[in-house]
Amino acid sequence: MKSSAIAHSNIALIKYWGNWNKVSPELNIPLNDSVSMTKYGFSQNTHLQTHTTIEFSEDFKENKAILNDNLLKGRDMERILKIINALKKLKKIDYKFKMISFNDFPTQAGLASSAAGFAALTIAAAKALNLDLSQEELSTFARLGSGSAARSIHGGFVYWYRGTSHETSYAEQICGPNNFDVNAIIAIIDEGKKDVSSDLGHELANTSIFNTLRVKKSHEQADEIKAAILDDDFNKFGTIAENNCMFMHSVMMTSEPALFYWSPLTLRVIKKVLNIRKAENLDCFFTIDAGPNVHCLCRPENTEYIQNMLAKIEGIEKTILVKPANDSYTTNEHLF
Ligand code: DP6
């Protein structure tokens, strides 16, 4: 009962921010539909993915989870157990487990490491337990660990329906990685752990008077961006993604207490992107998750130029080119 999986992180294009807690806060049912691109990084040692091996055995006396050589406890272990307990219930067994996991990129730095992590855990655990689940069903279990992980099960461009129950809050693929030609360049500003967890951020979302409006608008924009992807309309796609990002950050900045994920350098990168677009008439757009790092979206033919421009900004630690990834997958390469 041992299996391994590799899962990719994703960048949200229509953001998930805030949970709908009417059924249960444990379920991570979001307030609005969201859309993302699953990403594969082209940097020497960084593909922005998580590799996880898990084994269940009746001989194990306790659960053990290790991420990047660190034993996980507290909230981290709780999130893992939410997925594992739900899958074990389905299989009707109660064995303990051992899990070893490696992220090839910084953990909890606003680069969606938990999305990749919980997607890899779900895929590996479902296989180890010999559960025959569809991609959509897998996404519901990944969601229990971290909402955005629901989207990382699929490759390419992904739509997560908010739903109103465990079963109806799932993610499905809009189109595969080769059906819409987009690159993203991540301008890395800070790879350190973020100050405020997304958990707390989700709780604070509704303290902003703008959140109701953001939720309403996000539903519309999720439909619109899906259409733009299927119509291969990059300009519309980027315009909507950038706009939706600003809605989420406006909500963050007007929460009580206010959350500021940006650093001064974040704003400098935003201005650079706007400048490249206006002055050079080049289609590029920015989006930012819960951290200071900026993703710049562009067509592949403009990538090299834009990457050079971003790398020149003083203070940018590095840039990472990312392209749409394939589905996350199981592998026979076990970590123990
Ligand atoms: C801003 O609760 O999925 O990235 O568990 O910290 O990875 P972590 O986050 P999660 O919230 C993600 C928030 C977001 C927007 C998004 O991915 O839609």
Side-chain angles (χ1 to χ4, degrees):
M1 296 181 92
K2 185 196 269 193
S3 267
S4 297
I6 292 180
H8 313 283
S9 63
N10 69 76
I11 174 70
L13 305 161
I14 301 301
K15 311 290 187 185
Y16 150 49
W17 198 244
N19 285 322
W20 182 76
N21 289 333
K22 292 239 165 67
V23 182
S24 158
E26 289 298 300
L27 289 177
N28 286 343
I29 295 179
L31 288 168
N32 57 278
D33 292 1
S34 60
V35 174
S36 59
M37 177 178 107
T38 304
K39 48 190 189 178
Y40 183 83
F42 288 82
S43 168
Q44 253 175 355
N45 304 316
T46 308
H47 301 305
L48 304 177
Q49 58 192 23
T50 304
H51 186 167
T52 295
T53 300
I54 189 161
E55 181 175 10
F56 294 88
S57 166
E58 51 183 342
D59 298 335
F60 294 159
K61 298 275 175 291
E62 55 175 11
N63 294 319
K64 198 171 185 184
I66 294 167
L67 169 64
N68 294 348
D69 297 324
N70 297 311
L71 186 66
L72 298 179
K73 303 182 284 225
R75 178 76 185 134
D76 292 329
M77 190 56 155
E78 254 174 49
R79 292 167 90 180
I80 290 173
L81 283 173
K82 277 170 75 178
I83 297 177
I84 297 300
N85 289 342
L87 290 172
K88 284 200 310 194
K89 198 168 158 201
L90 203 61
K91 186 68 186 176
K92 299 194 177 66
I93 60 149
D94 195 18
Y95 295 172
K96 301 275 192 258
F97 71 90
K98 176 179 176 186
M99 180 208 95
I100 292 194
S101 194
F102 277 101
N103 286 338
D104 74 356
F105 61 112
T107 299
Q108 290 178 3
L111 290 172
S113 62
S114 64
F118 290 114
L121 174 70
T122 305
I123 295 171
K127 170 108 189 289
L129 293 171
N130 203 14
L131 287 165
D132 188 21
L133 300 176
S134 68
Q135 295 277 89
E136 286 70 28
E137 284 168 322
L138 285 171
S139 78
T140 63
F141 290 100
R143 193 200 68 240
L144 299 175
S146 135
S148 55
R151 299 186 309 237
S152 269
I153 297 289
H154 303 277
F157 297 83
V158 183
Y159 195 110
W160 172 17
Y161 296 95
R162 70 157 252 183
T164 50
S165 63
H166 174 65
E167 290 76 19
T168 56
S169 186
Y170 66 93
E172 86 182 0
Q173 191 180 59
I174 297 172
C175 70
N178 302 319
N179 297 99
F180 184 50
D181 244 352
V182 173
N183 287 352
I185 302 141
I186 314 175
I188 302 286
I189 288 167
D190 186 354
E191 293 190 311
K193 196 170 163 178
K194 56 189 172 201
D195 299 339
V196 181
S197 71
S198 299
D199 266 1
L200 180 61
H202 292 305
E203 273 175 38
L204 294 180
N206 270 334
T207 63
S208 162
I209 56 163
F210 298 130
N211 201 39
T212 317
L213 216 50
R214 183 199 66 82
V215 169
K216 183 171 174 286
K217 189 75 185 157
S218 295
H219 273 292
E220 293 163 16
Q221 289 186 318
D223 275 344
E224 286 163 14
I225 207 164
K226 180 179 172 184
I229 292 168
L230 293 173
D231 291 345
D232 197 23
D233 187 340
F234 178 74
N235 189 278
K236 191 169 163 202
F237 164 87
T239 306
I240 296 169
E242 197 173 278
N243 194 242
N244 189 267
C245 160
M246 293 307 300
F247 287 145
M248 179 182 73
H249 285 274
S250 306
V251 164
M252 289 162 161
M253 291 176 196
T254 49
S255 295
E256 291 170 27
L259 299 178
F260 292 94
Y261 284 100
W262 296 1
S263 78
L265 208 47
T266 308
L267 195 56
R268 214 178 299 160
V269 176
I270 291 175
K271 294 236 170 182
K272 186 62 160 184
V273 172
L274 296 179
N275 186 266
I276 296 174
R277 193 157 84 220
K278 281 213 186 87
E280 307 184 37
N281 204 19
L282 248 176
D283 257 359
C284 60
F285 300 88
F286 65 83
T287 188
I288 305 157
D289 275 348
N293 304 314
V294 182
H295 284 65
C296 176
L297 304 161
C298 64
R299 286 289 203 187
E301 59 269 25
N302 298 326
T303 301
E304 200 181 324
Y305 177 77
I306 293 170
Q307 190 163 13
N308 285 336
M309 296 296 280
L310 297 182
K312 272 193 211 143
I313 301 173
E314 205 188 317
I316 293 296
E317 286 178 24
K318 65 175 173 198
T319 58
I320 302 175
L321 165 64
V322 301
K323 289 177 182 283
N326 289 313
D327 288 351
S328 296
Y329 56 99
T330 55
T331 167
N332 290 329
E333 264 180 62
H334 300 312
L335 295 170
F336 63 91

